[in-house]
Amino acid sequence: DQQVKQNSPSLSVQEGRISILNCDYTNSMFDYFLWYKKYPAEGPTFLISISSIKDKNEDGRFTVFLNKSAKHLSLHIVPSQPGDSAVYFCAARPNTGNQFYFGTGTSLTVIP
Amino acid sequence: DAGVIQSPRHEVTEMGQEVTLRCKPISGHNSLFWYRQTMMRGLELLIYFNNNVPIDDSGMPEDRFSAKMPNASFSTLKIQPSEPRDSAVYFCASSRLLDSNYGYTFGSGTRLTVV
């Protein structure tokens, strides 16, 4: 049973515009969330995180928003650049244990 | 730091054969994770170890899959016998047990094709 869901398998955005990637989760015990970025033939790499005590975390062009009541988080990339084209995974960790559960990924294409 | 090292990068095998995937975690990391990536399920956790001890193997699909971590610097994931539906990219990742807020460091993966 998929506890972390990314319902959009792909997204295309024009360079310079905003990219919004969405993620939903079902387990109310999740209290820490990450976004990973993955290029072809490479492993995923950490992008940005957010704790459940916050509703927003920003790092340069990347901002993650968390809506705990809706069990929803989103990643905003502004402005989008062609180098942002990759697969993005969201991941969530329960308040017990150190394992992260990943979504199915969203493939972002930024069109020059 | 060489990162998490996985071998082989690619493996093509015939159905019924035994397959062994290998992983060397980052030195000093005491948690190790095996994930499988498929289109349908994304990154699926198979098993993870803390301090070389298996903690949760509930994600291992069936008895054909087994994983070991004989020491802090080496882990294997074995499939015996392999089946075409096992074809996927398998990732190994590691982290420090008490410092997983930056997630894991992943290896480059092993692309397994079972024909």
Side-chain angles (χ1 to χ4, degrees):
Chain A
D1 187 26
Q2 199 77 20
Q3 298 188 61
V4 179
K5 300 177 184 180
Q6 294 175 255
N7 293 318
S8 297
S10 63
L11 175 68
S12 290
V13 172
Q14 207 72 32
E15 180 179 4
R17 304 295 291 268
I18 183 171
S19 295
I20 301 176
L21 294 91
N22 293 303
C23 178
D24 297 293
Y25 60 95
T26 57
N27 190 339
S28 58
M29 301 299 284
F30 288 151
D31 71 345
Y32 200 80
F33 306 87
L34 304 175
W35 283 93
Y36 275 83
K37 181 177 181 178
K38 184 185 177 305
Y39 291 118
E42 295 182 10
T45 55
F46 169 80
L47 184 60
I48 193 169
S49 65
I50 189 166
S51 165
S52 60
I53 62 173
K54 293 185 174 182
D55 55 17
K56 176 183 174 181
N57 189 26
E58 195 171 348
D59 183 3
R61 296 184 297 113
F62 302 90
T63 303
V64 57
F65 294 92
L66 175 63
N67 182 334
K68 290 187 290 294
S69 60
K71 295 191 179 66
H72 177 84
L73 67 157
S74 61
L75 175 68
H76 293 209
I77 307 173
V78 181
S80 302
Q81 299 174 353
D84 297 329
S85 297
V87 177
Y88 290 79
F89 290 96
C90 68
R93 184 188 69 192
N95 54 12
T96 56
N98 63 327
Q99 75 275 29
F100 279 92
Y101 296 89
F102 283 77
T104 49
T106 296
S107 178
L108 173 66
T109 301
V110 180
I111 304 165
Chain B
D1 187 348
V4 176
I5 300 173
Q6 291 186 246
S7 64
R9 288 298 307 271
H10 302 275
E11 177 79 40
V12 180
T13 190
E14 291 186 347
M15 182 174 64
Q17 295 297 306
E18 177 180 297
V19 175
T20 299
L21 311 182
R22 296 172 176 80
C23 176
K24 177 178 168 55
I26 290 174
S27 177
H29 283 189
N30 50 4
S31 291
L32 184 140
F33 306 82
W34 282 101
Y35 281 87
R36 177 171 68 175
Q37 183 189 6
T38 61
M39 289 296 292
M40 290 300 295
R41 300 180 69 86
L43 279 168
E44 182 183 14
L45 177 65
L46 300 177
I47 185 171
Y48 78 98
F49 299 83
N50 285 343
N51 296 315
N52 311 339
V53 176
I55 302 301
D56 184 353
D57 66 354
S58 59
M60 297 286 259
E62 46 196 276
D63 291 346
R64 299 185 296 107
F65 285 70
S66 62
K68 294 182 180 179
M69 192 165 186
N71 57 62
S73 59
F74 184 65
S75 177
T76 59
L77 177 67
K78 185 176 293 186
I79 308 172
Q80 165 63 19
S82 58
E83 296 182 1
R85 60 190 167 124
D86 302 330
S87 298
V89 181
Y90 291 80
F91 288 101
C92 175
S94 70
S95 74
R96 289 193 181 90
L97 176 59
L98 297 178
D99 186 24
S100 64
N101 282 356
Y102 291 98
Y104 317 142
T105 302
F106 280 83
S108 298
T110 294
R111 180 174 293 277
L112 173 64
T113 303
V114 183
V115 298

